[in-house]
Amino acid sequence: MPKIIMVSTKDYNFYNFRSNFILKLVECGNEVILICPYGKKIDYFTERGCKFIDLSIDRRGTNPINDAKLILDYLKIFKKEKPDLVLTYTTKCSVYAGIACRLLNIKYIVNNAGLIAHDNPKSALARILNLLYKVGFKGASCMMYQNSQERDYMNALLK
């Protein structure tokens, strides 16, 4: 049975935007594991056959120590679970789970809904963000975009 891990920052991202997809994956015989901080919407999926791993994610945090710990948490989980595929949603999860997948040679798909904006493209923050995008997204088997502006930006960055 193929094992698919899905990673997001909130339970409602799975529930509001991926419910039908997740349940179809289960119906087709896949083992589906959802990773995010626990929220009540997770019960809906576990009652229908999904597994769940509670992982604390500060989705707006910028502490590099906490972010490095998040990458280590993904590495630990992915090593233990040995997924066939990881699907990521939201920027922080896509970047850091993508880094872990690349290090472990696990196939992953990025479905990123919005890039983190930066006012000054030459600022230190912009350079750091671009480096994180390159490292986290470059090894993806597939990248899905929500709009053409995001697609064009990432395609130019990842050349």
Side-chain angles (χ1 to χ4, degrees):
M1 162 181 347
K3 185 183 288 191
I4 300 170
I5 289 181
M6 300 175 77
V7 183
S8 186
T9 56
K10 288 284 189 181
D11 62 319
Y12 65 77
N13 289 334
F14 293 133
Y15 186 82
N16 291 348
F17 306 115
R18 310 282 178 249
S19 288
N20 291 336
F21 178 59
I22 292 167
L23 296 180
K24 190 64 167 179
L25 288 172
V26 172
E27 180 185 316
C28 290
N30 298 286
E31 180 179 351
V32 177
I33 301 172
L34 305 178
I35 300 175
C36 69
Y38 175 77
K40 292 186 186 232
K41 301 292 186 191
I42 289 300
D43 297 340
Y44 173 82
F45 296 108
T46 57
E47 291 167 0
R48 289 160 177 78
C50 294
K51 293 182 180 178
F52 170 68
I53 297 174
D54 186 4
L55 180 62
S56 177
I57 301 170
D58 182 0
R59 62 190 184 132
R60 291 195 172 96
T62 58
N63 182 316
I65 294 170
N66 291 341
D67 289 350
K69 183 186 176 307
L70 182 58
I71 294 170
L72 293 174
D73 288 341
Y74 285 134
L75 284 166
K76 181 180 173 184
I77 291 167
F78 297 165
K79 278 183 185 179
K80 179 182 177 199
E81 295 297 334
K82 297 179 179 38
D84 297 294
L85 179 67
V86 173
L87 302 173
T88 66
Y89 302 97
T90 71
T91 300
K92 186 171 260 194
C93 293
S94 294
V95 168
Y96 296 137
I99 291 169
C101 286
R102 282 185 70 190
L103 290 171
L104 297 172
N105 201 28
I106 296 170
K107 290 182 183 180
Y108 66 106
I109 295 174
V110 172
N111 186 346
N112 194 60
L115 299 174
I116 298 171
H118 40 78
D119 298 329
N120 179 356
K122 295 185 183 210
S123 71
L125 177 60
R127 289 194 305 271
I128 291 168
L129 286 171
N130 285 340
L131 176 63
L132 288 171
Y133 288 138
K134 286 179 185 179
V135 174
F137 289 14
K138 193 158 186 123
S141 299
C142 176
M143 290 183 60
M144 294 179 266
Y145 303 97
Q146 306 306 311
N147 57 62
S148 59
Q149 178 185 5
E150 195 177 296
R151 179 200 63 213
D152 295 346
Y153 182 84
M154 289 307 300
N155 284 342
L157 185 64
L158 297 176
K159 281 185 180 181

